[in-house]
Amino acid sequence: MNNKPALSFSLVAALAVTIVAAPAWARSTTAATTNASASANGLRDPARAFIKMDLHLEKGTPGVSVGQSVPVTIRAFFLGGTGVTLNGRPTVASDALLLSDLTTDAKQSSVQIRGLPYTELTWNGILTAVKEGTAKTEIELPVQLSYREAPRARALPRPGASDPSAPAGDDDDQSAADPFASLLRQSPFASDPFFAQMFKGGDPFQGMFDDLAGTIRQRDVTLRDNAGTLTVAALPLHAPPGFSGAVGSFTISATLDNQALRVGEPATLTFIARGRGSFSRLSPAGLAPSDELNTYGVTSTFKPGATALTGEKVFTQTIVPRQGGALTVPAVALTYFDPTERRFVTRHSAPIAVAVRGSAGDHPAAIASTAPPTVEPAGTLKTPSLVVTAAVPDGAPSSLTPVIQTRWFWKLAAAMAIAAAALSVAGFAHGKGAFKTAGANRRVRRQVAAQGRRMKAAVDRGDAVALFTAARTAWQTRLGAAWGVPSQAIAAADVATRLGGRGDRICEVFERADRLTYAGGQSAGPDDLEHWQSQISDELGAWEATS
């Protein structure tokens, strides 16, 4: 009978040991079945949190080409009962890949992995290759994890032994002070740890629930997924004119908003590119000015499609007819690289035939001929002509006809007018080019100055994207005027081809602008932005002085 209480409390203790040991067993089992990792200051707990990135490559495609974009899905998993604070968004560790168009809010769901409950966070985005070679597809996500650490089993005293946590000599001191306690220690209850604590005069429940519940821990963790590598192939050399870096497969069509054109009146030419690929690098040059048309800059808007990388990009350009009659609006060219066929492709829209009416001032003679005749009011008295007869002295001319009415006067005047007109035409033809060039240079200087103001405003805001975008636009404007090509068509590859080593700093501005546009966010502090602004402004000024 006396052994029953000891047995019952021993069962309680055994149950407590089982509860304490169970979480550690579950954790070690899960760790053996997971191949992802979370690391921060040596912390490795793959069962508690891990991340995975899936690349959606087309079937049969071993890799991608420079400039090609690939849809990706990023998923992060967190063990049930784990508190999570995101310290950022997923990023790619490789400098050969850019992650863009990442969904703002992660989609959350509950899943079961190896029989354990997990919370799954999902992002969708676009991965773009920017450098040839073998690129590591390593994804990172900084988080803070809050969780209850698995408890440790309490040290249980052996039957007949003193509490191992008590200081040396404690048993002897208590035995001497309390003979009754020494007597109870000889009883069957002495082997039960519950009573062993009580015999020492302590609280048998002290620390029991703390040990069973475990300790709350917080860790700053960077989740990583070493998904492998991706082969990035270089584009063929000698890209055709008009190639702006777009990779994919596209079509192009063009329309006019007004089929009834008139000389000197603007019309809008709209051309639409549809397909699948890197629309951000798709930039047709539009129509160049000609004897029949004045043309102006191209603007664009993008409409995403139902699936990743699909959609349509709408471009608009203002055109103004310069002369009346039949006019054919030329085809618009669109050049891109097809990664499936591994070649450059140029597609054209269909030409548009229209009739251009003349302006209201084209026929002044017709307008003059329709003027009503002058009619004198009724009752108006005409002044009678006064005829004077005078004697003509000897040797004087027999006629008093004015010089202006003589034939020889008109012949001389006609000759002088023809000579003056010829000189005017020659002078105008000679000076027209100078006037036109001076006007174009003034426009370019104004446009570059406007971009300079945008760069300064971007530095004040700490906006690296706006700074390098304005810098790239300024260089495109300056170089387009110098080379006689549309500014929007100039890319880093064109700068490198035409300028060689002289264009290294300009190419770096173009590449930084592309990188920030695709990846988003900031890449430099305020001091760095001020340094870049000063350097870019100095180089633009030096280029203008030497060009």
Side-chain angles (χ1 to χ4, degrees):
M1 293 295 294
N2 292 338
N3 289 336
K4 289 183 179 180
L7 178 62
S8 63
F9 286 104
S10 296
L11 289 176
V12 171
L15 179 60
V17 172
T18 303
I19 295 175
V20 169
W25 169 82
R27 183 177 63 172
S28 61
T29 303
T30 309
T33 59
T34 308
N35 59 4
S37 67
S39 62
N41 300 324
L43 174 65
R44 297 185 66 84
D45 195 350
R48 193 167 299 284
F50 61 95
I51 192 170
K52 183 179 180 63
M53 181 174 70
D54 297 323
L55 280 73
H56 304 297
L57 292 171
E58 296 183 4
K59 292 183 179 180
T61 304
V64 297
S65 301
V66 172
Q68 184 175 355
S69 299
V70 179
V72 294
T73 300
I74 301 171
R75 296 178 292 165
F77 300 88
F78 302 94
L79 185 64
T82 303
V84 181
T85 300
L86 299 180
N87 293 332
R89 305 177 70 192
T91 58
V92 175
S94 174
D95 61 351
L97 303 171
L98 292 177
L99 182 63
S100 63
D101 298 334
L102 205 62
T103 49
T104 304
D105 298 322
K107 180 181 178 182
Q108 182 173 334
S109 60
S110 299
V111 296
Q112 290 280 333
I113 301 178
R114 305 284 178 154
L116 296 176
Y118 278 82
T119 298
E120 177 183 358
L121 299 181
T122 304
W123 294 267
N124 293 313
I126 302 296
L127 198 66
T128 303
V130 296
K131 187 168 67 175
E132 63 179 293
T134 302
K136 292 183 178 180
T137 57
E138 183 179 34
I139 195 75
E140 296 181 349
L141 177 64
V143 299
Q144 183 184 75
L145 302 181
S146 302
Y147 58 93
R148 193 176 298 277
E149 194 175 57
R152 296 175 300 172
R154 295 183 62 187
L156 300 177
R158 296 185 303 276
S162 62
D163 184 358
S165 63
D170 186 60
D171 289 341
D172 296 337
D173 294 340
Q174 288 196 8
S175 297
D178 189 0
F180 181 71
S182 176
L183 198 64
L184 288 176
R185 193 173 288 110
Q186 305 300 323
S187 70
F189 297 102
S191 60
D192 192 289
F194 181 84
F195 283 97
Q197 180 75 1
M198 185 176 66
F199 290 156
K200 297 176 64 62
D203 182 0
F205 297 100
Q206 182 179 4
M208 175 181 292
F209 295 106
D210 291 340
D211 290 342
L212 291 178
T215 305
I216 299 296
R217 301 292 185 188
Q218 284 188 345
R219 294 288 187 271
D220 288 327
V221 178
T222 299
L223 305 181
R224 293 188 178 92
D225 176 25
N226 299 318
T229 59
L230 183 65
T231 302
V232 181
L235 299 181
L237 299 176
H238 310 299
F243 177 66
S244 58
V247 178
S249 179
F250 307 94
T251 61
I252 187 169
S253 60
T255 58
L256 264 178
D257 68 333
N258 184 10
Q259 296 292 328
L261 301 184
R262 185 182 291 274
V263 173
E265 294 185 359
T268 301
L269 175 65
T270 302
F271 41 103
I272 303 175
R274 296 183 177 91
R276 175 185 174 87
S278 52
F279 279 93
S280 59
R281 291 179 172 236
L282 197 64
S283 180
L287 299 183
S290 65
D291 294 338
E292 294 81 17
L293 286 173
N294 283 331
T295 61
Y296 300 89
V298 178
T299 60
S300 65
T301 58
F302 176 66
K303 299 178 181 178
T307 60
L309 299 181
T310 63
E312 65 178 32
K313 199 167 186 178
V314 181
F315 303 87
T316 57
Q317 184 178 23
T318 299
I319 63 174
V320 180
R322 302 181 62 181
Q323 59 188 24
L327 171 66
T328 299
V329 179
V332 178
L334 175 67
T335 302
Y336 61 91
F337 179 77
D338 191 324
T340 304
E341 300 181 6
R342 293 292 305 165
R343 67 183 182 91
F344 293 103
V345 177
T346 300
R347 298 192 182 277
H348 297 84
S349 64
I352 303 174
V354 294
V356 181
R357 294 179 294 171
S359 63
D362 280 351
H363 305 289
I367 296 175
S369 65
T370 60
T374 302
V375 179
E376 295 182 358
T380 303
L381 296 177
K382 293 186 177 180
T383 303
S385 301
L386 178 61
V387 179
V388 178
T389 304
V392 180
D394 295 337
S398 61
S399 174
L400 295 178
T401 304
V403 175
I404 195 174
Q405 296 182 8
T406 60
R407 182 177 298 179
W408 65 267
F409 175 83
W410 284 109
K411 288 182 179 180
L412 178 61
M416 294 177 65
I418 293 173
L423 290 174
S424 299
V425 170
F428 179 76
H430 177 75
K432 182 179 179 181
F435 292 149
K436 184 176 181 180
T437 301
N441 289 337
R442 284 195 297 270
R443 287 194 298 271
V444 169
R445 284 195 294 270
R446 286 197 298 267
Q447 293 170 0
V448 172
Q451 297 304 324
R453 291 191 293 271
R454 291 190 177 95
M455 285 191 289
K456 185 179 184 305
V459 172
D460 295 339
R461 298 193 308 269
D463 191 343
V465 177
L467 170 65
F468 284 97
T469 300
R472 176 178 57 187
T473 303
W475 274 117
Q476 286 176 325
T477 302
R478 175 59 63 192
L479 296 176
W483 297 343
V485 299
S487 59
Q488 297 92 341
I490 298 176
D494 302 312
V495 176
T497 301
R498 287 177 176 260
L499 300 181
R502 183 187 175 193
D504 288 346
R505 299 294 293 176
I506 303 175
C507 288
E508 187 173 358
V509 171
F510 277 62
E511 291 170 356
R512 282 179 176 266
D514 288 341
R515 186 182 297 272
L516 288 170
T517 301
Y518 299 144
Q522 306 292 336
S523 68
D527 295 339
D528 292 336
L529 295 184
E530 291 181 0
H531 169 74
W532 272 105
Q533 181 214 357
S534 175
Q535 188 176 64
I536 293 168
S537 299
D538 291 344
E539 290 179 355
L540 281 169
W543 177 275
E544 183 174 352
T546 57
S547 299

